[in-house]
């Protein structure tokens, strides 16, 4: 069993065969899924490397536990204690290599329609050679001339790409809200219990949004300070209320009968999350009370210990990178790719309501290839691609830039540390607050646009 499995993995690494697990009892895997999983591993590997580069804790541990660490750094000409391999400049160079890797593949796979061509074979296979190419791209960033000019220019390129990635994330959220409501509403004609499911989930989501608003008013406002916090809590809460009323107004219902409170509840929860994240990222304010400077408008930890703060930072970082992966993978499916266009009611009339509607298969039955001693592979792209290869790589290109800017704390890069990723900075505050308004604007546009272009949205 070991020998056939090794041959299969060799064909995957050095040939065009799809990658699969060695365990034959594993469920079948599609070629399209296997390919995206492998690129995700590449992306996560570089992301973890960037996180390590920005962590003084990890750097200190390496100095203490790696034998001959200083001698090794001198031999590599990496500066004292490998100073050129850590910090924001190293992250910029590594992410430059990853971004170049995905951008080149995006150009290389333009207009690939099936998996039968040579370009598709390179996209779906030859993983060893692509891994070597990725390493070469990441290492090449350290040998670029005019390092200071490069870092300055690349910072603004990264900011532009990061902003575009945020917009794609918000478009996906709006499309997700519409799709959820559409799917569950389709089950109402067959089973009235879907009404109860819609009502229950809507009530829970609105309760979460209101609870989050009350929580932020309690901990992130102060009678003597935090004027911006009070202003934006009032503005964002009011805008969520307005779009909820707009979603069920008669003029919107005329052109979008499926529009309802579920979509606005999802948007409201996300806006409250972004608002909380923005307020938590805002630099702390201090007021003088009883002759002492007191920090206000921050969430008080129970113990105030550094370990507790590190746990919160770790959880927040994991959630953030989970959202990045979700955006990179989900945005490349054919259904989710329409999120870059104005939302249209293009779901099939006979769509079946499902509790986990995201797992609906986009494909029919395909030919299986038996992998001796390993997982069976379904080659599902012989007649046509399941997703756009070019767009897939372009989203990962933008994701690389977003990771670079996030890990280095956007424009506060000089003193950035991964342990302080969620600590306050004005640039992060305004980016997240602006994301709230863009999200609400996109959702409002999807509600209003059928009124302005009714012919385009007729079934």
């Amino acid at each position: 069993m070991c020998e056939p499995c090794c041959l299969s993995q060799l064909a995957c690494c050095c040939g065009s065969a799809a990658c699969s697990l060695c365990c034959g009892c594993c469920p079948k895997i599609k070629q399209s899924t296997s390919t995206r999983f492998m690129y995700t591993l590449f992306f996560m590997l570089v992301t973890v490397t960037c996180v390590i580069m920005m962590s003084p804790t990890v750097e200190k541990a390496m100095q203490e536990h790696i034998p001959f660490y200083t001698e090794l750094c001198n031999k590599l000409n990496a500066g004292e204690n490998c100073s050129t391999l850590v910090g924001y400049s190293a992250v910029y160079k590594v992410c430059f290599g990853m971004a170049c890797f995905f951008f080149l593949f995006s150009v290389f796979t333009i207009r690939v329609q099936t998996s039968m061509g040579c370009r598709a074979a390179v996209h779906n296979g030859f993983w060893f050679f692509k891994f070597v190419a990725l390493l070469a791209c990441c290492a090449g960033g350290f040998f670029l001339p005019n390092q200071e000019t490069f870092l300055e220019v690349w910072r603004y390129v990264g900011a532009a790409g990061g902003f575009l990635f945020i917009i794609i994330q918000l478009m996906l959220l709006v499309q997700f809200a519409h799709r959820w409501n559409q799917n569950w509403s389709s089950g109402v004609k067959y089973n009235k219990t879907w009404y109860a499911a819609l009502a229950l989930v809507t009530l829970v989501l609105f309760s979460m949004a209101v609870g989050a608003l009350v929580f932020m008013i309690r901990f992130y406002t102060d009678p003597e300070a935090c004027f911006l916090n009070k202003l934006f809590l009032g503005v964002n809460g009011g805008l969520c209320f307005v779009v909820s009323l707009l979603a069920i107004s008669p003029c919107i219902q005329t052109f979008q009968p499926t529009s309802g409170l579920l979509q606005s509840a999802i948007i409201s929860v996300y806006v409250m999350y972004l608002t909380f994240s923005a307020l938590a990222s805002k630099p702390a304010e201090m007021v003088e009370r009883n002759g002492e400077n007191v920090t206000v408008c921050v969430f008080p930890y129970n113990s105030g210990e550094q370990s507790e703060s590190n746990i919160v930072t770790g959880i927040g970082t994991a959630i953030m990178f989970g959202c990045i992966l979700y955006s990179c993978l989900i945005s490349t499916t054919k259904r989710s790719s329409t999120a870059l266009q104005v939302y249209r009611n293009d779901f099939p009339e006979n769509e079946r309501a499902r509790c986990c509607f995201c797992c609906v298969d986009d494909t029919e039955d395909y030919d299986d290839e038996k992998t001796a001693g390993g997982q069976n592979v379904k080659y599902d792209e012989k007649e046509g691609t399941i997703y756009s290869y070019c767009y897939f790589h372009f989203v990962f290109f933008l994701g690389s830039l977003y990771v670079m800017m996030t890990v280095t704390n956007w424009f506060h890069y000089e003193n950035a540390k991964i342990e302080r990723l969620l600590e306050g900075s004005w640039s992060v505050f305004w980016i997240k607050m602006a994301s709230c308004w863009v999200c609400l604007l996109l959702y409002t546009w999807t509600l209003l646009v059928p009124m302005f272009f009714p012919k385009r949205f007729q079934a």
Side-chain angles (χ1 to χ4, degrees), residues 77 211 434:
N77 294 324

Side-chain angles (χ1 to χ4, degrees), residues 30 176-191 193-195 197-198 201 262 266 335 347-365:
K30 299 175 185 177
F176 171 81
H178 281 295
R179 184 180 174 190
W180 187 351
N181 185 77
Q182 178 75 28
N183 183 270
W184 282 24
S185 296
S186 66
V188 170
K189 64 179 73 173
Y190 305 107
N191 190 337
T193 56
W194 285 106
Y195 268 132
L198 282 168
V201 172
L262 178 60
I266 296 171
R335 281 189 175 183
F347 298 96
E349 294 183 1
N350 60 347
E351 182 178 12
R352 198 178 87 184
R354 298 170 183 257
C355 290
C356 188
F357 61 91
C358 290
C359 298
V360 177
D361 242 346
D362 288 333
T363 59
E364 303 296 335
D365 291 332

Side-chain angles (χ1 to χ4, degrees), residues 169-373:
Q169 282 184 310
L170 298 176
M171 287 180 171
L172 286 174
L173 176 73
V174 174
Q175 186 259 2
F176 171 81
H178 281 295
R179 184 180 174 190
W180 187 351
N181 185 77
Q182 178 75 28
N183 183 270
W184 282 24
S185 296
S186 66
V188 170
K189 64 179 73 173
Y190 305 107
N191 190 337
K192 299 301 181 182
T193 56
W194 285 106
Y195 268 132
L198 282 168
L200 178 61
V201 172
T202 302
L203 179 62
V204 170
L205 290 175
F206 271 125
S207 299
M208 291 172 61
V210 173
L213 183 61
V214 172
F215 171 84
M216 286 183 283
I217 292 174
R218 169 68 178 84
F219 290 105
Y220 287 94
T221 60
D222 187 85
E224 303 175 18
C226 306
F227 172 75
L228 284 179
N229 294 18
K230 301 171 190 175
L231 175 64
F232 291 141
L233 283 174
V235 169
N236 291 354
L239 289 175
C240 290
F241 181 71
V242 169
V243 297
S244 299
L245 293 180
L246 184 64
I248 57 174
S249 62
C251 57
I252 298 298
Q253 292 289 316
T254 301
F255 295 93
Q256 288 200 62
T258 59
S259 175
L261 290 175
L262 178 60
Q263 297 105 309
S264 55
I266 296 171
I267 299 299
S268 297
V269 168
Y270 192 71
V271 167
M272 288 299 106
Y273 162 73
L274 285 177
T275 304
F276 166 75
S277 184
L279 297 182
S281 301
K282 182 170 167 284
E285 295 187 36
M286 304 188 74
V287 296
E288 186 175 344
R289 289 176 182 166
N290 300 324
E292 297 181 356
N293 290 327
V294 180
T295 303
V296 295
C297 302
V298 294
F299 181 71
Y301 296 110
N302 292 331
S303 62
E305 295 180 357
Q306 183 63 32
S307 59
E308 189 171 317
S309 177
N310 290 340
I311 292 174
V312 173
T313 301
I315 294 174
T317 303
I319 292 174
M320 181 182 64
F321 285 115
C323 292
I324 294 174
L325 285 180
Y326 174 84
S327 300
C328 287
L329 294 174
I330 298 300
S331 64
T332 56
T333 61
K334 285 189 175 180
R335 281 189 175 183
S336 295
S337 294
T338 59
L340 293 180
Q341 307 170 4
V342 175
Y343 168 74
R344 301 179 65 172
N345 187 8
D346 57 356
F347 298 96
E349 294 183 1
N350 60 347
E351 182 178 12
R352 198 178 87 184
R354 298 170 183 257
C355 290
C356 188
F357 61 91
C358 290
C359 298
V360 177
D361 242 346
D362 288 333
T363 59
E364 303 296 335
D365 291 332
Y366 297 96
D367 295 334
D368 296 356
E369 178 175 292
K370 299 290 184 180
T371 304

Side-chain angles (χ1 to χ4, degrees), residues 394-414:
F394 185 71
V395 171
F396 269 91
F397 162 72
L398 296 179
S400 304
L401 300 180
Y402 181 74
V403 166
M404 179 185 77
M405 298 305 295
T406 302
V407 169
T408 58
N409 205 15
W410 290 84
F411 295 104
H412 296 266
Y413 50 87
E414 292 182 345

Side-chain angles (χ1 to χ4, degrees), residues 3-29:
E3 183 178 347
C5 181
C6 291
L7 292 175
S8 174
Q9 299 306 315
L10 183 63
C12 155
C13 292
C14 301
S16 60
C19 284
S20 59
L21 298 177
C22 291
C23 182
C25 62
C26 293
K28 298 176 183 177
I29 187 172

